[in-house]
Amino acid sequence: MLPPNCSVVHSHAVEAATAALLLLECALGALGNAVALWTFFFRLKVWKPYAVYLFNLVLADLLLATCLPFHAAFYLRRKTWGLGRTSCQVMLFLRAQCRGAGVAFLTAVTLDRYLRVVHSRLKVNLLSLRAAWGISVLVWLTMAALTHQSVFLSEAECPSSEPRMESSFSLIWQEALFFLQFILPFGLILFCSTGIIRTLQRRLRDPDKQPKLQRAQALVAVVVVLFTLCFLPSFLARVLLAIFQRTHTCGVLSAMVHAADVTGSLTYLQGVLNPVVYCFSNPTFRRSYRKLFYTLTLRGRKQEAEAPGYELRDSYS
């Protein structure tokens, strides 16, 4: 509940910085995941269950990137939505659906690695591609069922992060879902990571398996760091906002709202950093991103000019 006679003071600097961060995440996320999508269609020859989860993660990130310009415009208009209630509901639903699906598929990749490393003899590791696609469809349907409450938000609740005296069931459900999407997957990721690291420490003595196991260990570490960096700041900011919402200090409450805005925009950084996960998952993605890097840099163009017989396609295929 808001304190009496207290309104959150808008900060043009915070809102402009948040909008700029969202637009940067949109551009980098769209570029990185577009390269990944191209790699899936034209470079990846062998598909395994983890590749199916990564493909769906790419789709979720690309769809999420389409929401970010509209969310940035919301901050540039001093946190007002001028496109009508329906468009806001669609944007919030798509944003919650794709962000939740992204977290779910990132967790699925970690769980897949855990089962293959720690419990390599289980029959679940023989999961077919058809079963993996079935699991992916189930994830999308489950997230749609969990996030459909976004369409019941009123125009006044769309899509502000400011606390209110009265909150609808849809708004409360959104907040509860955000906390659950952090706590449950993060706990599972930490559990799987601990099991993988312990198992790898016992197996790293074998020289033949050491490179493969080190890559798996690096993948696990990247997922943990990525999840922590993207979601932990927003989680803590929302907890503090809920605590200070009951105080009578408007200045502190305004600061917490600004912190929630900035850290909330960091959750979309996942779409920018997920290509790192792809690179550790399969060398084909590393070749694609390396090719993009050399193409976009002067060094790459210079190397091509100096070596006419050198073809990137031959090197990176």
Side-chain angles (χ1 to χ4, degrees), residues 8 131 170 234 273-274:
V8 176
S170 299
S234 182
L273 299 179
N274 276 338

Side-chain angles (χ1 to χ4, degrees), residues 184-203:
L184 296 181
F186 191 56
L188 183 59
I189 287 174
L190 287 179
F191 171 80
C192 293
S193 302
T194 302
I196 291 174
I197 291 174
R198 288 178 178 176
T199 303
L200 293 179
Q201 288 175 345
R202 296 194 299 266
R203 298 181 181 177

Side-chain angles (χ1 to χ4, degrees), residues 3 16 41 48 118 129 146 148 151 218 232 278 291 310-311:
F41 284 124
K48 295 181 179 180
V118 181
L129 287 181
L146 292 175
H148 79 282
V151 302
L232 183 59
Y278 312 149
K291 180 178 180 180
Y310 175 76
E311 294 185 4

Side-chain angles (χ1 to χ4, degrees), residues 30-53:
L31 177 62
N33 286 284
V35 173
L37 192 64
W38 177 84
T39 303
F40 272 111
F41 284 124
F42 300 105
R43 282 291 181 266
L44 194 63
K45 297 179 180 180
V46 179
W47 283 66
K48 295 181 179 180
Y50 82 89
V52 174
Y53 305 142

Side-chain angles (χ1 to χ4, degrees), residues 299-316:
R299 178 184 176 185
R301 292 193 292 270
K302 183 178 179 181
Q303 287 182 349
E304 290 179 357
E306 292 178 351
Y310 175 76
E311 294 185 4
L312 287 174
R313 182 177 179 180
D314 293 338
S315 176
Y316 294 101

Side-chain angles (χ1 to χ4, degrees), residues 8 30 46 83 178 195-196 210 237 239 252 254 274 290:
V8 176
V46 179
L83 300 178
F178 176 84
I196 291 174
Q210 186 172 357
V239 170
V252 175
S254 296
N274 276 338
R290 199 177 302 165

Side-chain angles (χ1 to χ4, degrees), residues 11-25 68 71-79 258 261-266 268:
S11 172
H12 179 71
V14 172
E15 292 164 2
T18 302
L21 181 58
L22 289 170
L23 291 175
L24 180 63
E25 291 170 339
L68 298 187
H71 202 45
F74 167 74
Y75 283 101
L76 291 175
R77 292 172 56 92
R78 300 187 65 83
K79 300 179 75 170
H258 297 156
D261 288 336
V262 175
T263 57
S265 64
L266 289 178
Y268 309 112

